[in-house]
Amino acid sequence: MGIDVSIIIVNYNTKQLTSDCIDSIVEKTQGISYEIILVDNASTDGSKEMFTKDDRITYIYSEKNGGFGYGNNLGMKVAKGSYFFLLNSDTLLVNNAVKEFYDYAESQNQKKVYGCYLQNANGQFCCSSFFFPAFTIKKFLKRCLGKQQKEIFDSQIRNVEAISGADMFFHREIYDKIGGFDEQIFLYGEEGEWEYRMLKAGYPCCIIPQPKIIHLEGQSMKMSPTKMAIKWKSHFYILKKHMSYPTYLLARVYYTINLLSRNISHLMDAEYAPYFRVILTPVNKN
């Protein structure tokens, strides 16, 4: 008999968060067959020593930290489940979320990528979905001139442009057809780029209210100027990949002016050097 769901977690120096996440899965998940695959991106915090002894999981240790997408790709390559559930290490299951996702997905004719209304540690809704970048001038102008798009937290089943990478539940058929994450993206935006390719192939994203998951957002990676540089490097890569080249040039001009004006006071700050290096990197067509 096959496995219903492969739960894939990527860990990078988040030993305790990851351990708590696994404990919550084991405690809350019932009535469904599943495996937990933990991919460790070269952690140095004692994770390897801890998790190699955990017989509840399949542990994969990577000798390099290739990023979020890279780690998930390693996990999906060995996953045996009919469904894949990509789960952040800084999450906690509140109810039988895995089965809730599975039962709902099985009841639908169209295959989609599912997420839930994530909550923070205080029980308040936090970022569960987001919008794709404006890949065309028409869409960019529409956003600038129209009403600001906002995430809706109404506990209703609704299609959204993209869901948070903290909890992505989908049939393995989608992975087989689309392939995995783009590993050129080290961190930030990789799930949106992947979901954009899924949408173009006919697999939309959907938020459902039944699963309950806490996302301790930001605890796995605090923001800093260096991490801001990683974020914008990823963003520019994604824009270049999915925009026409002239549109990409216009976007870079817009973002360069906007980001420089917002951070001009840090121009002589050595800590911000990686950030400004990314913003001011010359644009080429290749």
Side-chain angles (χ1 to χ4, degrees):
M1 190 173 178
I3 296 172
D4 294 324
V5 182
S6 294
I7 304 168
I8 300 165
I9 304 168
V10 176
N11 170 55
Y12 176 65
N13 289 334
T14 55
K15 179 177 69 174
Q16 191 56 55
L17 286 171
T18 301
S19 179
D20 293 342
C21 177
I22 292 170
D23 288 344
S24 77
I25 294 169
V26 174
E27 178 187 349
K28 299 295 184 181
T29 308
Q30 40 189 306
I32 192 170
S33 61
Y34 68 94
E35 62 177 348
I36 301 173
I37 300 170
L38 177 60
V39 180
D40 195 328
N41 270 342
S43 292
T44 56
D45 65 345
S47 290
K48 188 174 185 180
E49 292 76 13
M50 172 185 282
F51 293 118
T52 49
K53 300 173 184 176
D54 193 334
D55 59 7
R56 302 173 298 175
I57 66 174
T58 297
Y59 181 69
I60 300 172
Y61 184 81
S62 171
E63 294 294 337
K64 72 169 186 177
N65 178 14
F68 180 77
Y70 164 85
N72 275 300
N73 284 348
L74 288 180
M76 288 187 287
K77 285 175 184 176
V78 302
K80 301 183 179 74
S82 299
Y83 287 85
F84 294 168
F85 184 31
L86 311 189
L87 190 64
N88 265 22
S89 63
D90 58 352
T91 58
L92 298 168
L93 303 194
V94 177
N95 67 354
N96 196 0
V98 181
K99 191 168 190 302
E100 293 287 358
F101 274 125
Y102 179 82
D103 287 347
Y104 185 80
E106 282 286 279
S107 72
Q108 303 300 300
N109 292 324
Q110 183 183 18
K111 291 182 172 61
K112 299 181 180 182
V113 186
Y114 294 101
C116 70
Y117 289 93
L118 297 166
Q119 305 169 43
N120 63 23
N122 297 321
Q124 300 169 320
F125 287 131
C126 58
C127 181
S128 304
S129 66
F130 57 95
F131 299 95
F132 294 127
F135 289 121
T136 65
I137 294 176
K138 181 179 179 181
K139 190 164 186 178
F140 175 78
L141 291 175
K142 186 177 179 181
R143 285 191 182 177
C144 289
L145 300 175
K147 290 183 179 180
Q148 185 178 2
Q149 294 176 300
K150 294 182 179 180
E151 184 177 9
I152 299 172
F153 300 107
D154 60 1
S155 296
Q156 300 297 310
I157 296 169
R158 62 171 60 251
N159 284 344
V160 294
E161 285 195 9
I163 60 173
S164 166
D167 66 321
M168 298 176 64
F169 189 96
F170 54 94
H171 198 280
R172 72 175 303 131
E173 175 192 292
I174 300 178
Y175 169 76
D176 291 339
K177 184 169 182 178
I178 304 301
F181 287 93
D182 184 337
E183 294 182 12
Q184 294 298 312
I185 306 170
F186 178 75
L187 192 64
Y188 297 120
E190 60 275 76
E191 77 268 38
E193 192 280 328
W194 195 32
E195 290 164 5
Y196 186 67
R197 286 186 279 129
M198 290 175 176
L199 179 62
K200 291 200 294 184
Y203 302 110
C205 290
C206 181
I207 294 285
I208 62 174
Q210 296 91 327
K212 307 296 182 185
I213 299 175
I214 291 173
H215 184 203
L216 304 170
E217 194 172 13
Q219 292 199 27
S220 60
M221 191 172 190
K222 303 293 185 182
M223 192 52 67
S224 68
T226 299
K227 289 162 190 172
M228 287 166 57
I230 295 171
K231 178 179 179 179
W232 283 104
K233 182 178 180 181
S234 298
H235 187 66
F236 291 150
Y237 171 83
I238 293 166
L239 294 182
K240 189 174 183 180
K241 181 174 180 177
H242 292 288
M243 283 178 165
S244 68
Y245 185 62
T247 304
Y248 172 66
L249 287 176
L250 289 173
R252 280 300 301 266
V253 170
Y254 168 79
Y255 279 114
T256 298
I257 294 172
N258 185 277
L259 295 172
L260 281 177
S261 65
R262 283 160 48 187
N263 294 278
I264 196 70
S265 62
H266 298 289
L267 193 58
M268 304 306 294
D269 189 337
E271 187 182 10
Y272 276 77
Y275 171 79
F276 287 115
R277 196 176 300 121
V278 168
I279 302 303
L280 298 171
T281 296
V283 176
N284 58 66
K285 196 167 186 176
N286 298 323

